[in-house]
């Protein structure tokens, strides 16, 4: 590229995009991102609260099932005990049958 002659006018660079509003646009975007993050945090908190409540209900139900299983096991043991006795009510009828 040849050097410019002394006193010659130098052409201005081509005009680029207007960047004067970039800081304002960046600030608005950052604010929207912060609002979205806040909403996500609230949603996560709500979800965690509901999940904890559901887990508590499941634990309560599991305890009730365990209690029912214990009662059923006791009833089976009683039935087995009664069926093993010769002097249970109606045993004579069954033997003579």
């Amino acid at each position: 590229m040849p050097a410019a002659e002394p006193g010659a006018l130098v052409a201005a660079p081509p005009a680029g995009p207007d960047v004067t509003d970039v800081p304002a646009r960046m600030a608005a975007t950052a604010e929207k991102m912060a609002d979205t993050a806040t909403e996500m945090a609230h949603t996560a908190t709500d979800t965690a609260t509901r999940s904890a409540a559901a887990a508590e209900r499941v634990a309560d139900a599991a305890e009730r099932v365990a209690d029912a299983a214990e009662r059923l096991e006791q009833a089976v043991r009683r039935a087995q005990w009664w069926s093993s006795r010769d002097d249970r009510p109606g045993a004579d009828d069954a033997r003579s049958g």
Side-chain angles (χ1 to χ4, degrees), residues 18-79:
D18 183 16
V19 294
T20 56
D21 66 339
V22 169
R25 287 192 329 231
M26 290 176 68
T29 300
E31 186 176 341
K32 288 178 186 176
M33 291 172 69
D35 290 344
T36 300
T38 301
E39 288 175 24
M40 291 173 70
H42 288 301
T43 300
T45 300
D46 292 344
T47 300
T49 300
R50 287 192 305 274
S51 294
E56 187 174 327
R57 289 191 303 272
V58 167
D60 291 344
E63 187 175 327
R64 289 192 304 273
V65 167
D67 291 344
E70 178 64 29
R71 289 191 306 271
L72 179 60
E73 187 177 324
Q74 290 172 358
V76 167
R77 282 195 302 261
R78 280 192 305 271

Side-chain angles (χ1 to χ4, degrees), residues 65-97:
V65 167
D67 291 344
E70 178 64 29
R71 289 191 306 271
L72 179 60
E73 187 177 324
Q74 290 172 358
V76 167
R77 282 195 302 261
R78 280 192 305 271
Q80 289 171 338
W81 181 81
W82 274 107
S83 68
S84 69
R85 295 180 44 103
D86 286 337
D87 60 345
R88 67 185 185 277
D92 292 334
D93 296 338
R95 281 185 291 226
S96 64

